[in-house]
Amino acid sequence: MLGGSVYIAFTRYIISLIGVILIFLQISKSRFSPKKTTLYYAAFSVAVALMGCVWYVADWNSCVRMVAFIMYLCFAVFAIWISGDSIYLSFYKLALVFYLMAVFVIGSLEISILFFHRSVWADIIVRILLIGLIMWLIDRYVKKSIQGFGDFIEKEADKFSVAVMIISILLGIGYILNPYLSKEVTPYRIYQVAVNFILTGMLQLLIFHFYCHVGNEKEYERENQMIQMNYRLLQRQMEILEESVESSKRIHHDARHHNAVIAEYIRRGQNEELLAYLKEYEKETNYEMPKMICSNAAVNNILSAYTNKAKRQGIQVILDVRIDKNLTIPSIDLVAILANAYENAIYACMEVKKSQDRRNCFIHVLLKRQNDKLVFSCRNTCKMETKLKNGQPEAEFTGGIGVSSMIRSAEKYDGKYDFKSEKGIFVFRLIMNAKA
């Protein structure tokens, strides 16, 4: 260390704390408002810096070796409390901040020792410059990437990754507490400093790229599911179109016979028989007309398509749909949820039929808007051994179709959802914001 008066120590502590706080704020989000966050960090910085100065005066030898570690430990606890990120994501970001703190603290010390004859003012100026450089690099190259992969680390973090992050922190601590830092400049010390920086940096880079890779794989999987869903929707639409064409051909073919029958009744003057025939024909025509499920065209088409498919498989369908045209939820997101849930329900029922289970298979779909909330529920017959993993159905019980797409679409509108499987009945429930 460079020594100096208590005022110099206080200044360096404040600069280091402000640097760490600014870096952490660059890559994280607070659970408080900006004003409260600023006040809390300011009070914390003053309190820790004052305690550091008291320690510096009371026991200089232990202070110069332990103050950096203790200050960062206090900051880590405080940052986890104030951060709005998950615990795993906070650990990762703290490990990264710790490494960057080592960069500007040890970097400024080494520059002061090597080039400025241990000048404390050179250390302070270089420290400020390094903090500014790190802030600029984070804002330009790192900030967007960290914000983008935050969801990946929250959902995919495991014990191994947490252990890697802890090792990264311990390596940084070992680097800060390195006893050779206070000795003369030697090739060995420079080598040790370089190795510690490289190892800690590589661990950070390893974690970052690992989660980016996992996250990209998940994104590709979701995109593939969306493509498959669109393909299935096109298939359903083609089925509806083919049915319409066949119906038109049949109507055109039957029209000639109906005209001939009507003409014969008129020629014979059988008016009563003609009226009876027309009533029967009208009844048959109304029966064959597709039923209107709801006024929302997208929902009506998708439910009609999958209802027809379910009935062709001998599955009883119960629909309770009460929504209007004007919903803030785009049709593509709503259709993604309905289509995937309905498709999974049909798949589950067909699996029950394949297993020679004599139960009657059914699907009950509930969709309604209530107090600016969209309520959706899909209940269906399923295998008795259907299981949930982490609150979600396993792929083998859904055909691997679209559960993540349903969840992703629901979360876009602050949706609350749950899956349940009890005694051969599978239930998916969802509530989303949907103002008219």
Side-chain angles (χ1 to χ4, degrees), residues 129-314:
L129 292 176
L130 287 176
I131 291 172
L133 177 62
I134 291 171
M135 293 280 292
W136 178 78
L137 291 173
I138 288 176
D139 185 66
R140 182 159 186 176
Y141 298 106
V142 180
K143 187 175 181 179
K144 186 176 180 181
S145 299
I146 286 185
Q147 290 176 348
F149 97 113
D151 290 339
F152 305 153
I153 194 171
E154 287 184 4
K155 296 179 181 178
E156 305 300 332
D158 52 18
K159 293 180 179 179
F160 172 77
S161 301
V162 174
V164 171
M165 287 187 282
I166 293 174
I167 291 172
S168 177
I169 294 174
L170 292 177
L171 283 174
I173 293 172
Y175 175 72
I176 292 295
L177 299 179
N178 182 5
Y180 290 95
L181 290 176
S182 60
K183 294 183 180 292
E184 296 180 359
V185 177
T186 63
Y188 176 77
R189 192 189 68 166
I190 295 175
Y191 169 77
Q192 187 184 36
V193 168
V195 168
N196 278 323
F197 268 121
I198 292 171
L199 287 177
T200 309
M202 288 182 67
L203 281 170
Q204 294 288 345
L205 192 63
L206 172 66
I207 297 170
F208 182 80
H209 279 282
F210 170 75
Y211 282 114
C212 280
H213 174 74
V214 172
N216 288 331
E217 289 294 325
K218 292 293 182 180
E219 286 297 318
Y220 294 148
E221 182 181 340
R222 293 189 187 101
E223 290 177 3
N224 182 50
Q225 288 182 346
M226 290 298 294
I227 292 172
Q228 292 180 4
M229 186 196 73
N230 290 332
Y231 173 73
R232 295 194 304 272
L233 292 179
L234 286 174
Q235 282 186 317
R236 301 291 89 80
Q237 294 293 336
M238 288 298 295
E239 290 174 3
I240 293 175
L241 181 60
E242 289 175 0
E243 291 176 359
S244 299
V245 172
E246 290 297 324
S247 179
S248 298
K249 289 180 179 179
R250 186 177 67 254
I251 291 173
H252 179 73
H253 179 267
D254 293 342
R256 291 181 297 167
H257 298 287
H258 292 307
N259 291 338
V261 172
I262 292 171
E264 184 65 21
Y265 276 126
I266 293 175
R267 188 179 63 81
R268 295 184 179 183
Q270 297 175 327
N271 296 331
E272 296 295 331
E273 289 81 354
L274 175 59
L275 289 174
Y277 176 78
L278 291 175
K279 288 181 180 180
E280 183 180 349
Y281 177 68
E282 181 181 6
K283 182 179 179 181
E284 181 181 352
T285 304
N286 290 334
Y287 178 78
E288 293 181 353
M289 285 290 291
K291 295 181 179 179
M292 195 70 176
I293 299 174
C294 68
S295 59
N296 189 295
V299 173
N300 183 78
N301 290 338
I302 197 64
L303 291 180
S304 297
Y306 280 102
T307 299
N308 291 337
K309 180 181 179 181
K311 289 181 177 179
R312 285 195 296 269
Q313 299 295 331

Side-chain angles (χ1 to χ4, degrees), residues 328-330 333 408-415 431-433:
T328 54
I329 301 176
D333 292 319
R408 190 180 185 187
S409 298
E411 288 177 344
K412 287 173 63 176
Y413 306 97
D414 298 325
I431 299 179
M432 295 188 297
N433 293 327

